Amino acid sequence: MNTTPQPDPRDRPARLTVGVVGAGRVGPALAASLRLAGHRPVAVSAVSDASRRRAEEMLPNVPVMPPAEVLERSELVLLTVPDDALPELVAGLAETGAVRPGQLLVHTSGRYGAKVLDPALRAGGLPLALHPAMTFTGTPVDVQRLAGCSFGVTAPEELRLAAEALVIEMGGEPEWIAEENRPLYHAALALGANHLVTLVAQSLELLRTAGVGAPDRMLGPLLGAALDNALRSGDAALTGPVARGDAGTVAAHVAELREHAPGTVAGYLAMARATADRALAHGLLKPELAEPLLGVLAGPSDAAGGTGDTPGDAS
């Protein structure tokens, strides 16, 4: 074991001045992480009261100022605004001359690659797309969670090493994503993470309706084991009444949901059809049990009168 004392990052001279445009949940956390690596946050833009409070908590004593002034002070700029606002922001900053030659411009959108920064590139900026594959709380705990977090990295080939080095300095793991694959990459993450929150929230509500006093304590071990098994084994981890072909149980589920939570029926049916398709394809669901099951799943999808798709359309 190496017992040589390691220098405190705070004792190292700052290598880059860092600015943040958009003090949402992501930008201040990344800037705080870069500060631990020896860089120096110098400016942040924040509009709402909530973003100003967040900036003060995560980046104390860093002044709040307009975006153009943030760029004026910074060698590395984090553009951490919503996806839909990013193209217009980049174009505006480039048109007004705010971008300087040699300035690193980093956006954290999962949807976009480096090309969305082309206006800045034409102005001499150095474009990097670094998307942390993590959900953020907007609190200091996010800085700790960045350790080991994967980042989707897209950049011009000549900047690839610089992009990956920044991710490593923040404690993350760089994963190279080709420009043309960014939308698919982001859709995959949204499917797994964003929809998971909806499914868990619905499950918690249903358990409360069923009289469970501590639904979070009940779901925690179950969901943790399911996630671990899925990451380790993929489709082989499928279990439950759909994968077993228990059509009667699934029909009872649908009937109960229609009575107590009709808004969850469409989602239940859609996920059950997708599960059945995958279980069939991987030999987990016996074909002779699939027909009655798919008959149940092909029924009306919600109490408002929608109709279910045919089983083949759900894959």
Side-chain angles (χ1 to χ4, degrees), residues 134-204:
M134 187 181 82
T135 58
F136 286 77
T137 65
T139 66
V141 71
D142 294 332
V143 179
Q144 302 171 21
R145 289 179 176 174
L146 283 172
C149 168
S150 291
F151 280 66
V153 176
T154 305
E157 187 61 37
E158 61 271 21
L159 295 176
R160 179 169 178 166
L161 290 179
E164 293 177 345
L166 282 174
V167 170
I168 291 170
E169 285 188 324
M170 289 185 281
E173 297 287 341
E175 186 72 41
W176 186 256
I177 308 294
E179 181 78 32
E180 63 273 16
N181 290 337
R182 292 289 290 207
L184 180 60
Y185 152 80
H186 195 224
L189 295 180
L191 182 66
N194 301 158
H195 298 173
L196 175 63
V197 175
T198 300
L199 291 172
V200 173
Q202 288 182 340
S203 183
L204 288 169

Side-chain angles (χ1 to χ4, degrees), residues 45-178:
S45 72
V47 177
S48 69
D49 290 341
S51 63
R52 287 175 175 270
R53 288 193 297 270
R54 189 180 299 115
E56 175 60 30
E57 179 183 18
M58 302 284 287
L59 301 171
N61 303 316
V62 174
V64 176
M65 53 188 56
E69 295 183 30
V70 172
L71 267 70
E72 184 178 350
R73 291 188 173 208
S74 309
E75 298 163 308
L76 166 63
V77 182
L78 301 175
L79 304 175
T80 51
V81 298
D83 289 1
D84 288 350
L86 182 61
E88 184 177 354
L89 171 67
V90 175
L93 292 172
E95 289 171 4
T96 58
V99 178
R100 301 194 311 274
Q103 190 172 45
L104 286 165
L105 292 166
V106 176
H107 80 70
T108 58
S109 165
R111 169 186 172 187
Y112 291 109
K115 286 191 178 299
V116 72
L117 297 172
D118 276 355
L121 176 64
R122 290 190 289 269
L126 305 178
L128 308 175
L130 308 179
H131 174 250
M134 187 181 82
T135 58
F136 286 77
T137 65
T139 66
V141 71
D142 294 332
V143 179
Q144 302 171 21
R145 289 179 176 174
L146 283 172
C149 168
S150 291
F151 280 66
V153 176
T154 305
E157 187 61 37
E158 61 271 21
L159 295 176
R160 179 169 178 166
L161 290 179
E164 293 177 345
L166 282 174
V167 170
I168 291 170
E169 285 188 324
M170 289 185 281
E173 297 287 341
E175 186 72 41
W176 186 256
I177 308 294

Side-chain angles (χ1 to χ4, degrees), residues 17-35:
T17 53
V18 179
V20 180
V21 177
R25 296 182 179 183
V26 179
L30 297 188
S33 182
L34 287 169
R35 181 175 55 194

